[in-house]
Amino acid sequence: MHLVDNVLLNIVLMTLIKFAGFVLAFVMGIATVLTWAERKYSAVLQNRIGPNRANLGTIRAGGLLHMLADPIKMLTKEDFAPNTPNPILFRLAPLLAFVPALLVFAVIPFGPGDNFQVSNTSLGILFIFAIASLNVYGSVIGAWASNNKWSLMGGLRISAQMISYEVAIGLSLCGIFMIYGSLDLQDIARRQGQLLLGFIPAWGIVLQPFAFVLYLACAIAENKRAPFDVAEAESELTAGYWTEYSAMGFAMFALAEFIEVVLIGCVGTTLFLGGWTIPGLHGDAWWIVVLEIGGFAFKTVFLIWLQMTIRWTLPRFRYDQIMRLGWRILLPAALLNLVVTGIVLTFVERA
Amino acid sequence: MAKVVNRMHPDFATQSYVIEAFKGVALVTRQFARNIFAKKDVVTVQYPEDRRPYTPRFRGKHRLMLRDDKSVRCVACMLCATACPANCITIVAQQIDDPAIEKAPSSFDIDLLKCIYCGFCEEACPCDAIRLDSGVHTIPSFTRRDQKAGVINLLSLGTASIAAQGGEHRAHSHEGTAHGRSSGH
Ligand code: SF4
Ligand code: SF4
């Protein structure tokens, strides 16, 4: 009991438990399922069958065992390194991509109250921006250290894309901060639990529908998935920045991408779909809390599904189109959205 | 008559891309639902278990045809070996007793690694003795050594042909189609 009294230890322990519970179990769980789901889903909607060969004896479970087979394969394959002057950077890059992607979840509120948020900081969304954009370093450094021209081209493209869309995504979310008057994600989520005019949930998507579209476009662009996947662009650049990676290095890049898919889902849920709140449901009863966490998971999965479907629907943009879209369309649109929000807010406050 | 080309004039909604993107999402989702509930659009063939049948004109591994008495139809005329663009047919001829036939191969080898399955040998053969219609896809192997066996002795692979052919051993079942020894090849 002496130990538990120790406040610091208590905090560290709680943080670790929460991290394990939400980030490792929830986020990594979804990301792992995504490695299978993406292949299976794309197969079914393209009139194919998809992975179904991994088996334990006669059990195939519709290809679900690929989730087990993949890590085994990734761990036992040769971890090839090209003849590069930067072997250390080459090894470091997958970690640089992977760790920030996981770290961001520290501020996501998975449910009501501090118990369901690894770290409740009033910085909230700023922390997400700061850390999430770090993982571009992983890709760029990996591309540079690969000593491969295709990789380098991929790296250049990511960095340009990241810079362009980071601006637009930040501006597109400013409207949300203005309306809810907070950067704290827990706060924003709670305020979305209120009702407008008594029956419309005060969700971000209702108040800022335009910003939601901008957010989704920019977020997918930052995650460099189709239709913004020029950084990989297998028809042009072999596999872009991860051409030279094999085995676990490759797996970490791929997993980081899937984790970011979950991240976009979580942030989108928190800012636009009401977070963990369920309209008309308030209280501290345990079943309400369970429902709310379930609601959060459901909304996140919905946004993940949306991203996946968009990814398998739209063809890849050309590189110059992406740059033009970012600077000439999304950025002014985000600014316009901000101005209109500001004007409307002023009038509402006067009234 | 001049053909009127209907050019697309996408309206603003189309050009803004967002609405079209969501229409695309709807389309893809509909197809997903169709494929989940009914597999009739799925085109995948589960290869090792199910195989797609070859077309009748598929040119596979060669086979040598036989006469009714099970002797080989080939008369070692070398036409196929001459026609072969890959130079992969090796025939060793021998004399046989039948004066109407005179020659037969004592060995007939094709190097399947060189063969390009063009079917020229089949075209060239005047006796319907060599065919590529066995429907056997050449078997792959893990080592180069195994592929040396690609040189097959076709004399062991023969099958009967019903096309008429001369020679003493000609079977009587084809009487209506040829007359005694005089029918040539
Ligand atoms: S199929 Fe063509 S290449 Fe093959 S043996 Fe016949 S003639 Fe030669
Ligand atoms: S062309 Fe026909 S008959 Fe002549 S050698 Fe070739 S297989 Fe035999």
Side-chain angles (χ1 to χ4, degrees):
Chain A
M1 289 303 101
H2 210 70
L3 287 177
V4 186
D5 291 342
N6 188 328
V7 179
L8 190 67
L9 190 68
N10 212 346
I11 291 176
V12 170
L13 237 128
M14 273 309 283
T15 307
L16 280 181
I17 290 173
K18 284 190 280 190
F19 191 81
F22 293 116
V23 181
L24 293 187
F26 180 74
V27 174
M28 288 297 280
I30 292 188
T32 313
V33 173
L34 272 182
T35 60
W36 164 79
E38 168 132 303
R39 279 175 289 169
K40 198 75 179 173
Y41 182 67
S42 63
V44 172
L45 55 79
Q46 290 174 348
N47 298 351
R48 295 183 284 117
I49 290 181
N52 62 354
R53 292 281 152 170
N55 60 61
L56 286 172
T58 52
I59 306 167
R60 282 191 177 174
L64 264 175
L65 290 169
H66 276 265
M67 289 189 300
L68 278 178
D70 282 338
I72 296 174
K73 177 185 154 190
M74 291 297 185
L75 284 168
T76 50
K77 280 196 113 169
E78 180 192 358
D79 200 354
F80 176 81
N83 187 8
T84 161
N86 299 310
I88 297 175
L89 285 186
F90 183 80
R91 291 293 174 214
L92 197 64
L95 288 174
L96 282 180
F98 187 73
V99 173
L102 272 186
L103 216 55
V104 174
F105 287 94
V107 295
I108 301 277
F110 291 91
D114 281 356
N115 284 341
F116 304 100
Q117 192 178 17
V118 176
S119 155
N120 189 4
T121 149
S122 53
L123 280 177
I125 192 75
L126 288 188
F127 177 83
I128 293 184
F129 280 143
I131 303 297
S133 38
L134 276 186
N135 81 8
V136 72
Y137 281 100
S139 316
V140 173
I141 288 177
W144 172 254
S146 291
N147 194 18
N148 175 325
K149 292 185 185 69
W150 300 129
S151 300
L152 190 58
M153 296 277 274
L156 280 174
R157 286 179 174 190
I158 316 169
S159 42
Q161 200 172 316
M162 193 75 172
I163 291 168
S164 321
Y165 283 81
E166 192 74 19
V167 181
I169 197 172
L171 286 174
S172 75
L173 295 186
C174 279
I176 292 282
F177 311 147
M178 286 162 69
I179 291 178
Y180 299 111
S182 171
L183 285 177
D184 184 344
L185 291 170
Q186 193 69 265
D187 246 16
I188 294 179
R190 195 167 291 119
R191 273 171 218 201
Q192 290 183 72
Q194 297 156 350
L195 295 179
L196 292 176
L197 308 175
F199 65 98
I200 311 169
W203 289 3
I205 194 168
V206 177
L207 298 171
Q208 291 272 301
F210 199 50
F212 177 70
V213 173
L214 292 179
Y215 164 76
L216 205 61
C218 296
I220 294 175
E222 281 205 40
N223 194 13
K224 17 180 213 307
R225 279 162 66 84
F228 300 96
D229 61 341
V230 285
E232 285 172 52
E234 53 282 278
S235 52
E236 302 158 29
L237 301 181
T238 322
Y241 64 98
W242 61 19
T243 305
E244 297 288 355
Y245 283 91
S246 51
M248 227 34 212
F250 166 79
M252 283 176 100
F253 271 130
L255 211 53
E257 191 180 299
F258 283 121
I259 291 172
E260 268 191 63
V261 171
V262 183
L263 175 71
I264 294 168
C266 283
V267 174
T269 304
T270 312
L271 295 181
F272 290 101
L273 297 186
W276 43 262
T277 61
I278 296 173
L281 212 58
H282 297 283
D284 294 329
W286 65 268
W287 60 272
I288 292 184
V289 172
V290 168
L291 268 184
E292 281 170 340
I293 295 175
F296 183 87
F298 178 78
K299 292 171 192 171
T300 305
V301 169
F302 169 76
L303 281 185
I304 291 171
W305 166 82
L306 189 60
Q307 289 176 66
M308 242 163 59
T309 315
I310 289 175
R311 188 236 181 284
W312 289 104
T313 302
L314 302 181
R316 178 188 303 140
F317 289 122
R318 229 167 41 216
Y319 180 62
D320 62 318
Q321 289 172 331
I322 289 186
M323 285 297 120
R324 210 175 318 141
L325 181 70
W327 289 109
R328 290 217 204 135
I329 299 174
L330 292 185
L331 182 61
L335 280 172
L336 193 69
N337 183 44
L338 213 56
V339 170
V340 174
T341 310
I343 294 173
V344 172
L345 268 185
T346 315
F347 278 113
V348 169
E349 269 162 29
R350 288 267 169 82
Chain B
M1 211 183 90
K3 189 164 176 263
V4 179
V5 176
N6 285 322
R7 288 179 195 281
M8 294 216 314
H9 292 290
D11 52 8
F12 180 74
T14 310
Q15 281 189 330
S16 76
Y17 204 76
V18 174
I19 296 165
E20 290 300 305
F22 279 94
K23 272 191 202 163
V25 167
L27 181 82
V28 161
T29 308
R30 216 176 308 133
Q31 190 63 26
F32 178 78
R34 259 168 77 104
N35 286 340
I36 278 285
F37 294 118
K39 288 233 186 291
K40 70 175 190 296
D41 286 349
V42 173
V43 293
T44 308
V45 173
Q46 294 287 315
Y47 169 62
E49 293 94 26
D50 311 337
R51 294 179 187 229
R52 215 164 255 195
Y54 288 126
T55 65
R57 295 176 57 183
F58 171 75
R59 296 194 293 267
K61 197 168 167 180
H62 314 62
R63 60 176 176 150
L64 276 187
M65 312 306 289
L66 299 181
R67 292 161 208 265
D68 289 348
D69 65 353
K70 302 285 183 275
S71 66
V72 73
R73 288 177 78 92
C74 174
V75 293
C77 69
M78 307 287 175
L79 282 177
C80 54
T82 311
C84 177
N87 261 341
C88 61
I89 306 181
T90 313
I91 304 169
V92 180
Q94 68 181 10
Q95 199 166 359
I96 58 167
D97 295 340
D98 189 333
I101 300 177
E102 294 178 359
K103 267 167 89 189
S106 69
S107 84
F108 193 116
D109 296 316
I110 291 184
D111 187 342
L112 291 181
L113 278 185
K114 284 189 191 163
C115 175
I116 57 173
Y117 298 92
C118 61
F120 283 6
C121 46
E122 189 181 34
E123 293 284 335
C125 181
C127 307
D128 187 27
I130 188 164
R131 287 194 195 172
L132 282 80
D133 63 353
S134 62
V136 179
H137 202 276
T138 321
I139 290 107
S141 69
F142 284 106
T143 63
R144 219 162 249 277
R145 223 184 128 74
D146 289 347
Q147 283 289 356
K148 282 274 190 275
V151 182
I152 54 165
N153 189 336
L154 287 169
L155 286 180
S156 58
L157 291 172
T159 352
S161 158
I162 55 158
Q165 194 180 28
E168 236 168 34
H169 306 295
R170 192 174 71 78
H172 298 290
S173 55
H174 299 309
E175 266 163 352
T177 56
H179 297 285
R181 298 174 166 197
S182 60
S183 71
H185 26 256

